[in-house]
Amino acid sequence: MTESTHLYDLFHPAHYDIYLDINRETKQISGKTTITGDALATTIGIHQKFLKIQQVTVDGKAVTVTDDPAAEAIRIPVPQTGNVTLAIDYTAPLTDSMMGIYPSYYDVNGEQKQIIGTQFETTAARQAFPSIDEPEAKATFDLAIKFDEQPGEMVISNMPETKVEAGVHYFDTTVKMSTYLIAFAFGDLQSKMTTTKSGVQVGVFATKAHQANELDFALDIAKRSIEFYEDFYQTPYPLPHSWQLALPDFSAGAMENWGLVTYREAYLVLDPDNTSFETKQRVATVIAHELAHQWFGDLVTMKWWDDLWLNESFANMMEYVAIDAIEPDWHIWEVFQTTEAPMALQRDATDGVQSVHVQVEDPAEIDALFDSAIVYAKGARMLVMVRALIGDDALRTGLKAYFDAHKFGNATGADLWSALGTAANMDLKSVMNSWLEQPGYPVLTAAVVDGQLTVTQQQFFIGDGTDAKRQWQVPLSSNYAEVPELLTASQVTLGTYADLRQANGQPFRLNVGNNSHAIVKYDDTLLADILDHITELTAIDQLQLLQDQRLLAEGRQISYADVVALLPRFAASEATVVNDALYQVAGNLKKFVTPDSDAEKQLQQFFDRLSAAQVDRLGWTPKAGESNDDQLTRPYVLSAALYAKNAQSVAAAHELFTANRDNLAGLPAATRYYVLANEVTNFSDATVFDQLLTDYRQATDASYKADLCAALTTTPDAKLIAKLIAVFEDAATVKPQDLRAWYRGVLANAKGQQAAWDWIRQDWAWLEATVGGDMEFTTFITVTAAIFHTPERLAEFKEFFEPKIPTPGLGREIKMDTKVIASRVALVEDEKAAVNAAVAQVVQ
Ligand SMILES: [Zn+2]
């Protein structure tokens, strides 16, 4: 960056009066925005995108403005620096982009209806009203909305409504806030309300396509999350209300608009009587994430998007801290270990990955920062390390000071480290900058060299990587007291191994609890010692061992065949986290076999060997009162049994399907997918297929819809696959927000891969026009790369995507994903024979 392009440097807005008239029928918006503020130059810039500007006045006098499309702005001359008032009249189209102001579509009793909602993060507020659309440009807002209102409809926003006059709804003046957090919605909504201990009104809103009791779970979690944060942060929730709204069309998972959080329906409303425990956990963490933002992100906001991690990494950690506090029996940190940890470790091992803190300017590049593996998962792991280093008391004291110092304002990473560091009396900045500013992470090699126990760090890569000699300050978390808290050099020698082993009486381990963002490679002596005592490890530590071994194998530091040999040792575990790690490794073995080959038959036997006893123990139907672990483990073993084509399981699932054919939605949600998938894969005919597709069109329960999508895409029938591809672009069947799941499902199906791959290449322009403007767009590339593992697909991937590298927001993803596929192709080529031999060894 050579010169600042930030419009805030030219004009500091203080207050906005925003009037909007929105017509769903004509798909037209007309608006007038009045902004008062402080001009710092005599030509200022105001952001706008897709607006048709009709008139601009400055202090009441009409002026001529110039367009600056590159900056998504208009340039306005002002008579003098200092206080000015701008008034801008404009019109804009109402489009189906899931960005800016947009409609969501749904059916109630066969009648098509729509509600209007908003999505402004990152840079779409400028599509709704002219503004300094930068996080630092905080101001107060008065919002007035008129729309083609029908009887019974309501409109909600960040603040309470104060009056309705001549059909115009007026809302209370907001506190000082950033433009990207403004939100409103209107339509025929239902709601449920409650109040927190401190008097904050909490509400959940959804369309009337849902049953009223589907709002209850979210209301309870939202209320208790806010109460938890008010206590943990020692800072009151700053607004009179906290609304949670489910929108039928929503691109991301949820959005933390201040006082009006918006969600995908799947992440807010659920059937309290038939939803899996896993789904409830996911919904609860999403709600807790968004509510963590009401302070971290909304009350105190990053100064610029380069510090997006301040918002997302923090909220991603706090969602687990909060749910662990309000639902301690859920052991929610186990979900962190099975989702966030492997996601971060996988992606962060690819050379070319971005650091958590990264310079950005272009709006498309800002959107590309919302990388779930880095700014969310890795960033959260970074903060988990901080929490472990300083403890909760210092964390809370530091946070309170941080909120007090920066509330209704902005902050940078340095501000956070300084507040937390002061509270902990520690130089946190130098520890954390090694994680924040550098991409990647280290592999810690623990070895006995000439009798001395040593630990060294070196950057870990999966695929080709240039060793830039990066070093990190790594919390070692050893079970040996002699080991320092932090590794700050490239190597440390800990003393004579034989003496240390004797004194400690247990195998040497590092990163106990798996909270440091690093993996451990033990030499043969140390690993054998751990494996000899494997049953003494906690479930998380067993998960960690399997996970680290898998990553080391993918990074070619050990053979994948060695990992295969370990798996049967863990197959009897009743811990979900162990089964998760086990079946993740096992699932990865599928890429080493060709579909329908003898090697695949052998692998299926291997899956049967791993899962059969557990399927017998757990059965196909959830039991009342069973443990959380049993509920969560069952899907892993049923999935394995179906891949193994275990005759008993195939028959049991078929029987369940047949018996419940008239009410498939009523099958227990935790196992429903497996029953449906078994039917589609092993017994499918066009009638069953059509019944399921019709159900998909009509269902309102998001988790049932997700099961249907996942099951339908497993069909082996070419004609039915063609039918699926044909609905990809039919928004009445597959909403654009759900398209990626459909595409991924068909692509992952060996019989459907060619058709899905042909579709995305042929219709890329359509895809770009439909979902290209939003921050989820690049994930179509990511999910493709996650599946491909042959040289042919690698060549095709490069041929198609490499020309798109210059497209803003796509370049890094394409380059990274090419490496991801290339390293997988090389791994399969080199290790196929050894892996399949290791599988054969277990099966025989
Ligand atoms: Zn977030």
Side-chain angles (χ1 to χ4, degrees):
M1 189 173 69
T2 48
E3 191 191 344
S4 171
T5 54
H6 298 183
L7 300 185
Y8 184 66
D9 295 344
L10 304 173
F11 181 62
H12 290 185
H15 181 75
Y16 291 74
D17 277 298
I18 298 170
Y19 169 79
L20 290 163
D21 183 352
I22 301 162
N23 192 309
R24 287 167 287 191
E25 197 67 39
T26 60
K27 292 198 162 261
Q28 275 296 314
I29 301 167
S30 62
K32 182 185 182 89
T33 299
T34 306
I35 316 171
T36 53
D38 187 22
L40 284 76
T42 50
T43 300
I44 63 170
I46 295 288
H47 283 115
Q48 74 87 11
K49 193 177 180 187
F50 306 141
L51 305 183
K52 207 168 146 199
I53 306 287
Q54 292 171 322
Q55 178 177 271
V56 179
T57 65
V58 178
D59 294 336
K61 293 196 189 72
V63 294
T64 306
V65 301
T66 46
D67 231 6
D68 186 352
E72 299 186 346
I74 47 173
R75 300 285 169 180
I76 304 175
V78 296
Q80 74 283 322
T81 57
N83 197 48
V84 294
T85 300
L86 317 167
I88 303 168
D89 290 284
Y90 61 97
T91 59
L94 184 62
T95 57
D96 294 335
S97 59
M98 296 191 282
M99 303 294 281
I101 303 168
Y102 72 92
S104 277
Y105 302 98
Y106 65 103
D107 285 355
V108 180
N109 302 326
E111 188 195 344
Q112 204 194 43
K113 306 189 75 153
Q114 48 173 297
I115 50 178
I116 299 295
T118 56
Q119 169 61 37
F120 292 165
E121 195 182 25
T122 50
T123 55
R126 66 191 66 170
Q127 298 181 30
F129 54 89
S131 51
I132 303 289
D133 193 14
E134 295 169 359
E136 193 178 1
K138 288 196 172 184
T140 53
F141 296 81
D142 275 330
L143 191 60
I145 297 174
K146 186 171 188 287
F147 60 106
D148 50 344
E149 192 170 347
Q150 303 298 314
E153 290 190 317
M154 65 170 89
V155 51
I156 52 178
S157 185
N158 309 82
M159 295 295 284
E161 187 177 286
T162 51
K163 61 177 178 182
V164 188
E165 269 176 21
V168 182
H169 296 256
Y170 293 86
F171 294 89
D172 213 350
T173 308
T174 68
V175 293
K176 258 184 96 180
M177 63 187 287
S178 305
T179 46
Y180 79 94
L181 295 167
I182 296 288
F184 61 85
F186 56 81
D188 187 16
L189 299 167
Q190 62 173 323
S191 66
K192 286 229 176 150
M193 303 278 178
T194 186
T195 307
T196 65
K197 279 185 243 169
S198 62
V200 178
Q201 252 210 309
V202 180
V204 175
F205 295 76
T207 72
K208 291 177 180 167
H210 299 278
Q211 302 297 317
N213 69 351
E214 292 178 39
L215 281 59
D216 294 344
F217 179 83
L219 187 67
D220 171 57
I221 295 290
K223 170 180 184 276
R224 290 192 289 140
S225 295
I226 291 172
E227 288 172 348
F228 167 78
Y229 290 129
E230 288 199 310
D231 173 57
F232 192 87
Y233 293 152
Q234 296 292 299
T235 304
Y237 178 81
L239 303 182
H241 70 220
S242 172
W243 297 159
Q244 329 299 316
L245 166 66
L247 286 171
D249 289 277
F250 197 81
S251 171
M255 174 63 210
E256 68 266 22
N257 314 302
W258 213 358
L260 175 51
V261 184
T262 45
Y263 298 79
R264 230 176 225 249
E265 292 187 326
Y267 293 138
L268 192 71
V269 286
L270 58 81
D271 176 357
D273 302 320
N274 190 21
T275 294
S276 71
F277 178 48
E278 187 190 1
T279 301
K280 286 182 176 170
Q281 287 183 316
R282 191 176 317 123
V283 170
T285 51
V286 171
I287 294 169
H289 176 107
E290 302 310 325
L291 294 175
H293 275 313
Q294 306 299 300
W295 289 261
F296 233 98
D298 296 2
L299 178 62
V300 179
T301 310
M302 74 240 141
K303 201 165 175 186
W304 181 249
W305 297 105
D306 63 327
D307 271 325
L308 178 68
W309 69 273
L310 266 179
N311 280 12
E312 297 306 344
S313 308
F314 207 87
N316 221 42
M317 172 178 78
M318 287 310 298
E319 68 189 64
Y320 293 93
V321 175
I323 298 301
D324 192 41
I326 67 176
E327 292 288 353
D329 294 342
W330 288 8
H331 301 294
I332 200 75
W333 283 105
E334 293 189 352
V335 176
F336 188 81
Q337 291 290 353
T338 57
T339 57
E340 317 277 355
M343 189 182 1
L345 290 166
Q346 192 80 34
R347 185 157 171 99
D348 206 21
T350 303
D351 204 8
V353 69
Q354 73 276 25
S355 50
V356 173
H357 177 245
V358 57
Q359 294 298 336
V360 273
E361 289 300 328
D362 183 277
E365 300 291 346
I366 296 171
D367 282 352
L369 287 186
F370 286 77
D371 177 328
S372 53
I374 300 302
V375 83
Y376 290 81
K378 179 186 179 179
R381 268 170 82 69
M382 221 173 69
L383 291 168
V384 165
M385 287 194 284
V386 170
R387 185 179 179 218
L389 277 174
I390 70 175
D392 265 3
D393 286 347
L395 179 64
R396 295 177 66 174
T397 310
L399 285 178
K400 181 170 171 23
Y402 175 80
F403 290 130
D404 283 347
H406 305 289
K407 62 186 168 194
F408 306 108
N410 299 78
T412 64
D415 296 324
L416 179 67
W417 301 140
S418 134
L420 298 182
T422 304
N425 196 19
M426 194 171 172
D427 180 12
L428 262 188
K429 190 176 170 188
S430 65
V431 177
M432 293 320 296
N433 273 357
S434 73
W435 297 99
L436 194 59
E437 305 292 345
Q438 304 189 101
Y441 62 90
V443 50
L444 302 173
T445 303
V448 182
V449 182
D450 298 330
Q452 297 293 301
L453 182 57
T454 62
V455 176
T456 54
Q457 61 162 309
Q458 190 173 27
Q459 187 171 1
F460 177 71
F461 293 109
I462 296 175
D464 291 339
T466 310
D467 190 354
K469 305 274 176 245
R470 294 191 175 102
Q471 285 193 18
W472 289 265
Q473 301 211 15
V474 194
L476 288 175
S477 309
S478 176
N479 57 340
Y480 282 17
E482 296 81 355
V483 177
E485 190 175 31
L486 279 174
L487 175 64
T488 52
S490 63
Q491 182 167 12
V492 61
T493 302
L494 301 167
T496 306
Y497 172 64
D499 298 343
L500 289 165
R501 178 68 177 84
Q502 172 112 40
N504 283 281
Q506 54 181 319
F508 173 70
R509 297 193 49 248
L510 291 170
N511 198 14
V512 174
N514 203 30
N515 285 328
S516 293
H517 187 54
I519 60 171
V520 188
K521 182 185 182 188
Y522 298 101
D523 73 4
D524 291 346
T525 310
L526 298 170
L527 183 62
D529 194 16
I530 293 170
L531 289 172
D532 282 346
H533 297 80
I534 194 77
T535 52
E536 293 155 33
L537 294 187
T538 64
I540 294 286
D541 291 336
Q542 291 183 34
L543 160 132
Q544 179 194 21
L545 184 80
L546 277 174
Q547 186 164 276
D548 286 5
Q549 294 297 111
R550 172 178 66 78
L551 289 162
L552 289 168
E554 289 181 24
R556 313 303 291 276
Q557 302 213 9
I558 62 173
S559 167
Y560 225 103
D562 295 341
V563 190
V564 173
L566 289 177
L567 298 185
R569 288 173 186 252
F570 297 91
S573 173
E574 295 184 7
T576 308
V577 291
V578 177
N579 280 288
D580 178 273
L582 166 68
Y583 286 105
Q584 192 174 3
V585 178
N588 280 349
L589 301 179
K590 294 177 187 171
K591 63 178 171 259
F592 292 98
V593 300
T594 313
D596 303 324
S597 63
D598 287 345
E600 188 180 46
K601 291 203 179 69
Q602 207 161 53
L603 184 61
Q604 287 169 323
Q605 285 176 42
F606 181 72
F607 269 70
D608 203 33
R609 186 70 71 86
L610 293 175
S611 62
Q614 295 263 36
V615 174
D616 282 349
R617 181 175 77 83
L618 294 166
W620 265 83
T621 306
K623 302 177 184 88
E626 65 187 350
S627 70
N628 290 342
D629 267 313
D630 283 354
Q631 290 182 58
L632 294 170
T633 297
R634 183 178 289 104
Y636 292 104
V637 298
L638 296 189
S639 171
L642 290 186
Y643 177 72
K645 300 219 178 281
N646 176 290
Q648 268 174 301
S649 277
V650 169
H654 183 50
E655 206 172 298
L656 282 167
F657 182 89
T658 312
N660 292 278
R661 180 139 185 194
D662 296 335
N663 180 22
L664 295 168
L667 281 163
T671 52
R672 187 172 50 206
Y673 161 70
Y674 302 97
V675 175
L676 300 176
N678 178 61
E679 203 63 22
V680 172
T681 315
N682 298 320
F683 300 91
S684 183
D685 56 36
T687 325
V688 168
F689 186 90
D690 288 343
Q691 181 193 342
L692 298 183
L693 195 56
T694 306
D695 259 19
Y696 181 84
R697 285 197 191 96
Q698 293 169 351
T700 54
D701 180 332
S703 77
Y704 181 45
K705 284 184 84 123
D707 290 346
L708 288 164
C709 161
L712 282 164
T713 54
T714 64
T715 179
D717 184 321
K719 274 206 203 90
L720 300 179
I721 286 165
K723 224 173 190 175
L724 289 180
I725 303 275
V727 297
F728 280 11
E729 295 174 31
D730 166 23
T733 304
V734 176
K735 282 176 172 285
Q737 65 165 11
D738 298 320
L739 178 56
R740 192 189 54 223
W742 284 89
Y743 164 69
R744 204 208 79 85
V746 180
L747 195 77
N749 172 352
K751 301 277 174 15
Q753 188 169 98
Q754 189 65 47
W757 180 223
D758 288 344
W759 168 78
I760 202 167
R761 287 182 294 175
Q762 273 157 22
D763 284 9
W764 183 260
W766 174 86
L767 187 68
E768 206 167 16
T770 309
V771 291
D774 85 55
M775 56 178 81
E776 300 287 308
F777 182 48
T778 57
T779 57
F780 277 90
I781 308 172
T782 324
V783 299
T784 306
I787 289 164
F788 285 176
H789 59 268
T790 64
E792 295 75 27
R793 290 291 188 228
L794 172 61
E796 291 167 3
F797 182 93
K798 285 163 88 168
E799 189 190 341
F800 183 69
F801 282 116
E802 273 177 358
K804 298 178 175 45
I805 287 176
T807 311
L810 299 190
R812 179 169 53 225
E813 194 57 43
I814 293 169
K815 287 188 230 164
M816 294 249 316
D817 285 338
T818 304
K819 283 187 195 174
V820 165
I821 306 171
S823 73
R824 196 180 299 125
V825 167
L827 173 72
V828 170
E829 291 293 300
D830 295 349
E831 297 245 320
K832 196 166 157 178
V835 165
N836 291 331
V839 169
Q841 186 110 38
V842 173
V843 176
Q844 271 153 20

